[in-house]
Every structure is written in C-alpha cells, then in structure tokens.
Amino acid sequence: MANVVCDYRILLVAAVAFIYIQMRLFSTQSKYADRLAAAVKAEDHCTSQTRLLIDQISLQQERLLALEEQRKIQDQECGQLKALVEELERKGLQRLTDKVPVAAVVIMACSRADYLERTIKSVLKYQSSVAMKYPVFVSQDGSHPDVKSKALSYNQLTYMQHLDNEPVQTETPGELVAYYKIARHYKWALDELFYKRNFSRVIILEDDMEIAPDFFDYFGAAAALLDKDKSIMAVSSWNDNGQKQFVHDSYALYRSDFFPGLGWMLARSIWDELSPKWPKAYWDDWLRLRENHKGRQFIRPEVCRTYNFGEHGSSMGQFFKQYLEPIKMNEVQVDWKSMDLSYLMEDKFMKFFADILKKAKPIQGTDVVLKAYNIDGDVRIQYKDQSDFERIARQFGIFEEWKDGIPRTSYKGVVVFRYQTSRRVFLVGPDSLKQIGIEGA
C-alpha cells in the first residue's frame, strides 16, 4: 500500500512538473509569437517605408531627368543667344571698324588738271567699296583754277589748298624753286592730315599715278606690319626695278634700305619725328639718307601697285621711257587678308632672305647676263663697288642709281630682280653676305 501511495506521489509530481513545463513553454511561445508579430509588423512597416522611399526616389529621378532635359534645352537656347549676341557684336564691331579709317589717301597736285583727273578716276574706281576706310583728299599747291575746279567736281573726296606766298630762297644759285615749293607743300599737307584731321596713317600719291585693283587691300595688310614692327619706316607700292621683264610674283614683298616713294604709306609716329626737321627742298632724297632712317627699312612689292604715267612735268621725266613706261602694274587679285606677312618682320626677314640667297648659284665673269639666262634657277653675282654694280646693272638694264651709298631697291646691299623668267638674280655687295649672316659663302 505504501508503494502505491509513493507511485501516486511521483506521478503527481511528474504531472505538476509537466503542467509547469507546458505552461512555461506556452508562455515562451506566446512571447515569441508576440515578438514575431511585432517583427512582422516592423518588417511590413519597413517594407512600406522602403516602397515609399523608392517611390520618392523614382519621383526625384523623374524630376532630375526633367530638369536635365530642361537644362539641355536652356543650354541650347543660351548657345543660340550667345551666337546671336556674338554675331550682333561682330557686325557692330565690323561696322565700327569700317568707320575707323585705315589711312587717309592724299593726291598731291599742282597744275596738271588732266593728269589729276586720270589719277582721281583710278583711285575712286577701287576706293568706292572701302570709302570709309580710305577717305580721299586732293591737296593742291597753288591756285591753278583748272586743278581746283577738277578736284571740286568730285563729291567723293575732300579738297585742300596750300597757298604759300612766302618767297623762296634757294641754297645754291640756279636751283629750281619748284623743289622748295614741293617740299613745303608736302610738309603742310602731312601736318594737316596727321595733326589737324588726326589720321594715324597717310598714303601719299602724286597726280600722275594709277593704282592696281588690290592697292587698298595691300596697304590694309601692310598697316598691321607698320604698327607692329617699329623698324619699318614706311610701306611703298613701288618697285624701281618693276619693269615687265624683271618681275614675276605678285605675292612677293621685300624689305629695302632704299626709300621707293611713288605711292607710300607713313604712320603718324614717324611723321612726329620727321616733321620738325623736314628739309627745305629735295624731300625724297633727304628721306633716303641713312641718318634719317636710323636703321629702319621700307616694305616694297615685287610687282608695283601703282603706275606712273607722268611723262611731262615730273622729276622722273628723264627716266620715263627707260624705267617708268615699261613698269608692270599688278593685275592679280591677291587675297591680302589671308596672307601671313610675318616673314617681313625684322627678326624673321633676314633669315628668310638668307635662305633664298644661299640657294642661288654664284656666277662671275664678263658674260654674266648670258650665264644667268642659261642657268635654270636663281643666281647671285658679286659686285666689288659702286662702279662695278653700275656696270653689271647696265648690262641687265636695271636702275644703276645709288643714293647715299645705297643702290635702288637694295637690302643689305643686295639688289634682287627676275630676269625674263621666274629665276631671280641677286646682285650682292662686297660685305652683303656677312651682313645677312651667310658665313663662308
């Protein structure tokens, strides 16, 4: 009996323990269920928030894409507006530039009304399209009525009159008074244009000249050189050896130590220096003196941009048949605006000139003209002194004249010209190669 009671106690304890354990398990499961529910709820909330965030991000992306597209459209519109503004500015600047003269053009006249008319017609023929850049003046020395009447008959130009009643005293008996009057007229006209009318550059023509079709474009391109390179004293449209048989290349330009004149452009900065000491007479010979150059040079073309038809009443009259009448005036329309003229700058031209001179074949002897003609290519001929140069120049037919130790057209004593073809002939002075930097040639 005691054993049965003991077994019941054991079973009761086991039952109580089982119930306790079950209750504990139930309690634990309930807690886990609550936690799981809370976790599920939290996950659902997170999922909801994530979806909401994704929706917001998508919306923002759509807005960003829309803004990017709008920015592209605005950039495109801004680019178009910028291009339009630049075009308007360019046109406005171009119009402004067109109104700023490159240079005044003055035709120096005195008493040759028929010559003056021919010159005016030639100038206006090519000046009409660039009238704002190159205003034309006729400056008359004296009161010849036909000249004044002729000048005033053209409303495309401005007439100036130099009346000088001061008596002329020549420095040497027998000198022509005209040379003194001409020098006075030039000073008066250039002072008038540079100082009273405030031009920065002046192109000087005489009343017996015609101009080439590219005359104004040539001087327009040369104006930039004149401004940049202070070693250039003036720019000329003339080549003393510009006769038909001695020229070939309409694009070729050179530096020269010799003042060519006959259609030339001067800057005010140079005139500021020349005006106070302008000579009483023979102004062109005075301008060719080396002491007035101060190491500066002149730009000249191979093919002339002016033609001098003044057989009568000109200081060059004695040379007309031999040197002036056969001059070739350029007929090629050179696009000067696209030309790179930097090779004419002082620091570059010597090397440029040396390179072509070095390639020329040296010849010598008494029959140099025949030898030059028979050689295919450039040649160079050394001369010993002025008389030797004149002898060789006479054989070819080029200008023999020197001024102040300088041959016409020469650069460092070298005179270059074509001879009946594209071949170049270089007449080279005794120390020219050394001056140009060609050693051992």
Side-chain angles (χ1 to χ4, degrees), residues 412-425:
K412 306 293 185 184
V414 179
V415 173
V416 55
F417 57 95
R418 310 279 176 167
Y419 187 60
Q420 298 184 356
T421 65
S422 62
R423 72 171 65 86
R424 282 173 291 214
V425 176

Side-chain angles (χ1 to χ4, degrees), residues 134-279:
Y134 299 93
V136 178
F137 294 79
V138 168
S139 181
Q140 180 186 4
D141 186 32
S143 56
H144 194 289
D146 291 343
V147 169
K148 183 174 183 178
S149 175
K150 185 61 64 181
L152 290 173
S153 69
Y154 291 91
N155 57 16
Q156 303 99 312
L157 55 81
T158 302
Y159 172 75
M160 307 190 307
Q161 187 175 28
H162 176 236
L163 296 174
D164 181 12
N165 297 319
E166 184 180 345
V168 175
Q169 292 184 346
T170 61
E171 294 184 351
T172 304
E175 284 184 290
L176 289 175
V177 171
Y179 291 118
Y180 287 79
K181 286 187 170 293
I182 290 170
R184 287 182 186 179
H185 181 206
Y186 267 77
K187 185 179 188 315
W188 177 86
L190 291 173
D191 280 345
E192 178 79 16
L193 292 169
F194 279 124
Y195 300 141
K196 291 188 179 181
R197 299 181 186 262
N198 204 34
F199 288 104
S200 58
R201 306 177 201 90
V202 176
I203 298 172
I204 301 101
L205 292 170
E206 295 172 15
D207 62 354
D208 54 3
M209 293 181 180
E210 292 180 333
I211 66 170
D214 66 340
F215 176 90
F216 292 108
D217 288 341
Y218 165 69
F219 277 112
L225 279 176
L226 201 57
D227 292 343
K228 290 178 185 177
D229 190 344
K230 298 308 177 183
S231 71
I232 299 173
M233 193 164 187
V235 177
S236 177
S237 57
W238 184 260
N239 173 14
D240 284 303
N241 292 320
Q243 295 77 24
K244 297 178 179 66
Q245 67 272 30
F246 301 132
V247 297
H248 174 76
D249 187 358
S250 293
Y251 292 78
L253 304 178
Y254 296 91
R255 291 177 76 106
S256 174
D257 298 303
F258 191 96
F259 170 59
L262 296 178
W264 53 291
M265 180 168 66
L266 187 69
R268 181 163 50 195
S269 58
I270 300 295
W271 185 245
D272 288 342
E273 176 188 325
L274 299 180
S275 179
K277 58 181 182 181
W278 193 251

